[in-house]
């Protein structure tokens, strides 16, 4: 189990040749799973790339390891339809997380996911800086589908 914040900013490194291809800037979410990472490649005037979760060999504290550069793809229409965690207008970060009963659980800060399958298993939420300092952030288990619309995310069962 891992949070996106532990992966954000890590370099993407090939096991085949040791080359660094860029660094992780975002996670794309769709239908209850983490689909993959958005990579900011090295170099000028190079567009962001997509790294599917299933193509990752391992994730460590110093890098995200891939077999070779062929697993990095341009962002396709499917990936552009997915919901980003940190960047863009439709991002999940900072979105109000509501329960199916209509209770506000907090503002979404991070996600917990299984790195092998990309399954989202929980959401880290905050109720503000003071609450974070006094009580700490809460983790809400993902027991159903997350519906994102209208500037809010609703956990349904």
């Amino acid at each position: 189990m891992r949070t996106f914040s532990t992966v954000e900013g890590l370099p993407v490194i090939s096991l085949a040749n040791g080359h660094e291809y860029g660094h992780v800037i975002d996670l794309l979410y769709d239908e209850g799973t983490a689909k993959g990472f958005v990579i900011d490649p090295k170099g000028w005037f190079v567009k962001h790339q997509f790294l599917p979760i299933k193509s990752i060999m391992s994730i460590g504290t110093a890098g995200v390891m891939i077999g070779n550069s062929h697993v990095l793809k341009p962002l396709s229409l499917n990936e552009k339809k997915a919901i980003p965690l940190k960047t863009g207008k439709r991002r999940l970060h900072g979105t109000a997380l509501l329960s199916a009963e209509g209770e506000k659980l907090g503002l979404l800060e991070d996600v917990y996911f299984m790195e092998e399958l990309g399954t989202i298993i929980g959401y880290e939420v905050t109720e503000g800086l003071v609450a974070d300092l006094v009580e700490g952030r809460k983790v809400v288990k993902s027991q159903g589908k997350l519906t994102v619309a209208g500037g809010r995310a609703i956990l349904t069962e």
Side-chain angles (χ1 to χ4, degrees), residues 49-105:
Q49 295 180 311
F50 178 68
L51 174 59
I53 288 283
K54 65 182 183 218
S55 298
I56 297 171
M57 303 300 282
S58 63
I59 301 174
T61 58
V64 176
M65 309 308 284
I66 59 175
N68 57 50
S69 64
H70 301 302
V71 299
L72 297 172
K73 308 286 182 201
L75 285 170
S76 72
L77 188 56
N78 282 341
E79 283 88 39
K80 289 180 182 178
K81 288 181 182 177
I83 299 168
L85 178 62
K86 292 278 189 161
T87 60
K89 293 179 183 177
R90 298 179 11 221
R91 71 178 175 265
L92 285 174
H93 186 265
T95 301
L97 183 63
L98 306 176
S99 69
E101 294 79 29
E103 299 294 322
K104 184 175 180 182
L105 303 171

Side-chain angles (χ1 to χ4, degrees), residues 37 40 68 72 74 84 86 118 120 122 128 146:
F37 298 125
D40 187 15
N68 57 50
L72 297 172
K86 292 278 189 161
I120 304 286
L146 185 71

Side-chain angles (χ1 to χ4, degrees), residues 29 97-103 105 123 140-147 153-157:
Y29 167 89
L97 183 63
L98 306 176
S99 69
E101 294 79 29
E103 299 294 322
L105 303 171
Y123 303 95
V140 178
K141 290 186 179 180
S142 173
Q143 299 174 347
K145 182 180 173 189
L146 185 71
T147 304
I154 304 168
L155 260 176
T156 57
E157 297 183 30

